[in-house]
Amino acid sequence: MTGAHDGDWDTLWTHVQLATLDGREGYGEIPDGALAIRAGRIGWVGPRRDLPAGWTARSVEDGGGGWLLPGLIDCHTHIVHAGNRSDEFEDRLQGVSYEAIARRGGGIVATVRATRAASEDELFAASLPRVESLLAEGVTTIEIKSGYGLALDAEAKMLRVARRIGASLPVRVRTTFLGAHALPPEFAGRPDDYVDAVCREMLPALAAEGLVDAVDAFCENIGFTAGETERVFRAAGALGLPVKLHAEQLSDQGGAALVARHRGLSADHLEHLGADGIAAMAAAGTVAVLLPGAFYFLRETRLPPVQALRDAGVPIAVATDCNPGTSPLASLLTALNMACTLFRLTPREALLGATSNAARALGIAGDVGSLEPGKAADLALWDIARPADLACGIGLCRCLAVVNDGVRRAPRIALD
Ligand code: NIG
Ligand code: FE
């Protein structure tokens, strides 16, 4: 567990129990642990008694016996958006389906109207409380998708707001371009022309502005076909950008196999995933991102094939899918609980799904997601008895402190 060091550190955390979540057995528990930070990175991790003789640290943090874990990672969100869709919630409770709402011009397109109408400042202000709610739960990395702009200017606005969140708040942000989320009204009946605009106009321009870390699409009978999705993936590949996919949420379109063929980072949702898709994901190392909030909120009944994913050795992640239509959820811990209660993940699987496997789904597993020397010092300290507590209750776990890139976050987040 110990890494290369010369025992000369910026900060040493002691009086902590560590859960390294580095894939070793259990949670990677180290009961009386110590963790050293230098230049924003983890310099040393191990049992306190093994600390190298003669270590020095500019400051020593006493963890008060709490559990120190990697900061949590929410690897699938649509957290930047404007508007309100609780009217659709009321309709769905009366039996109207999500598909029917989408087909009548509600759903994603309703959020597109509101997001297009919002200024960049309004969009930032609307998104902040949702982000703060995640951060209060020890989240240190968030993926943020575009996809409610569906035109170059509005997609750029969303992605700039995402970058601004990363610059103004203590959180690492990874952006994903989701231009192929829905067909905007001005392209009604012309999906090919819209996919052309996504591939030839929007994606190259947004990538040139440095706004895109990955590319996603909604491959579904109410979204885009596998053929259209493949065109988006080819455009991403030409720019050297990794891909991921909303796949097999409402029906089996072969999306998981498609994204795996493109060596995709992740296939997300997956309730309708079949054996071919699982085999392709296993072969490609594509992460299965489970989104139990959407399953719960849409009152779905078909479960993702968790046991088959396990048997095939596909890494599993869990995320909030925070969005106004299908998963109005800004609590990653609640998503972990749902993944256990609804999908029968173990708490260990759920926690790996919000740490190391979530990092993998974002292509940043070398950098974050576990307590290992060399990784960024993104940490969360918890007032819990055991790591499983984080997935067991809802609203019960107190996050005592958070560290981003080696810097302890102020207890109350203040904007610059
Ligand atoms: O991940 N599936 C497509 N996109 C979102 C839903 C977005 C919405 O309804 O606004 C999802 O579930
Ligand atoms: Fe989503």
Side-chain angles (χ1 to χ4, degrees):
M1 268 319 289
T2 59
H5 62 79
D6 56 13
D8 176 17
W9 299 312
D10 296 329
T11 308
L12 181 72
W13 280 84
T14 61
H15 198 193
V16 285
Q17 311 189 63
L18 302 173
T20 60
L21 290 162
D22 58 2
R24 286 184 305 151
E25 208 179 306
Y27 301 90
E29 295 101 319
I30 303 177
D32 182 8
L35 181 144
I37 299 171
R38 189 170 54 199
R41 302 250 145 201
I42 299 173
W44 191 95
V45 187
R48 192 167 54 93
R49 61 168 188 277
D50 291 346
L51 273 168
W55 61 267
T56 63
R58 242 159 295 208
S59 69
V60 175
E61 296 272 9
D62 181 340
W67 279 88
L68 193 63
L69 271 73
L72 299 180
I73 299 172
D74 194 348
C75 68
H76 181 141
T77 87
H78 309 252
I79 208 160
V80 169
H81 60 260
N84 180 300
R85 281 165 53 196
S86 58
D87 56 333
E88 293 178 10
F89 180 59
E90 292 173 316
D91 288 348
R92 283 195 301 99
L93 289 171
Q94 296 303 314
V96 186
S97 74
Y98 179 63
E99 283 98 329
I101 289 170
R103 291 190 197 285
R104 75 176 187 210
I108 293 170
V109 172
T111 301
V112 171
R113 282 191 291 273
T115 302
R116 285 180 174 180
S119 71
E120 199 166 307
D121 285 343
E122 287 166 347
L123 201 49
F124 180 72
S127 307
L128 264 188
R130 299 189 279 263
V131 174
E132 285 174 341
S133 150
L134 287 180
L135 298 200
E137 287 189 337
V139 169
T140 51
T141 299
I142 305 178
E143 184 256 17
I144 301 180
K145 299 179 194 295
S146 69
Y148 291 124
L150 310 186
L152 179 56
D153 287 359
E155 289 286 296
K157 177 174 65 181
M158 288 187 74
L159 292 169
R160 280 193 209 111
V161 167
R163 288 279 188 244
R164 186 166 154 197
I165 288 168
S168 331
L169 292 166
V171 64
R172 193 180 306 277
V173 168
R174 300 293 290 177
T175 57
T176 300
F177 172 57
L178 178 56
H181 193 198
L183 196 60
E186 59 276 19
F187 281 88
R190 296 188 295 128
D192 273 352
D193 292 349
Y194 181 63
V195 174
D196 276 350
V198 165
C199 296
R200 296 190 191 151
E201 183 206 353
M202 296 158 72
L203 178 54
L206 297 167
E209 210 182 312
L211 291 172
V212 182
D213 296 325
V215 176
D216 193 353
F218 184 28
C219 184
E220 191 52 71
N221 50 34
I222 56 165
F224 293 87
T225 65
E228 290 158 354
T229 302
E230 178 133 45
R231 289 176 57 204
V232 175
F233 285 177
R234 287 220 197 89
L239 293 167
L241 292 168
V243 296
K244 40 179 57 235
L245 189 65
H246 284 72
E248 274 73 279
Q249 180 185 12
L250 308 168
S251 61
D252 187 355
Q253 305 279 323
L258 173 62
V259 72
R261 264 206 310 285
H262 287 260
R263 312 214 65 77
L265 292 171
S266 69
D268 303 36
H269 286 289
L270 302 177
E271 280 82 348
H272 292 258
L273 177 63
D276 291 355
I278 295 173
M281 289 174 70
T286 299
V287 176
V289 178
L290 303 183
L291 303 167
F295 174 91
Y296 164 83
F297 199 73
L298 291 177
R299 305 177 71 231
E300 297 287 350
T301 51
R302 178 156 170 152
L303 291 162
V306 168
Q307 190 55 46
L309 288 167
R310 274 187 198 119
D311 292 345
V314 175
I316 297 175
V318 178
T320 61
D321 196 15
C322 178
N323 77 68
T326 65
S327 191
L329 172 66
S331 167
L332 186 54
L333 292 184
T334 304
L336 298 190
N337 179 273
M338 289 176 169
C340 296
T341 52
L342 300 173
F343 295 167
R344 287 288 174 243
L345 257 60
T346 65
R348 173 181 186 268
E349 287 172 325
L351 274 173
L352 287 170
T355 52
S356 45
N357 288 344
R360 202 164 154 182
L362 298 178
I364 53 175
D367 228 27
V368 291
S370 63
L371 303 185
E372 290 179 87
K375 289 201 177 179
D378 282 4
L379 318 169
L381 181 73
W382 296 94
D383 178 16
I384 51 175
R386 309 172 57 235
D389 290 355
L390 292 172
C392 175
I394 298 181
L396 293 177
C397 294
R398 207 156 56 98
C399 185
L400 300 170
V402 180
V403 175
N404 302 90
D405 285 321
V407 178
R408 187 169 177 164
R409 192 191 282 173
R412 176 88 186 83
I413 294 166
L415 280 176
D416 328 329

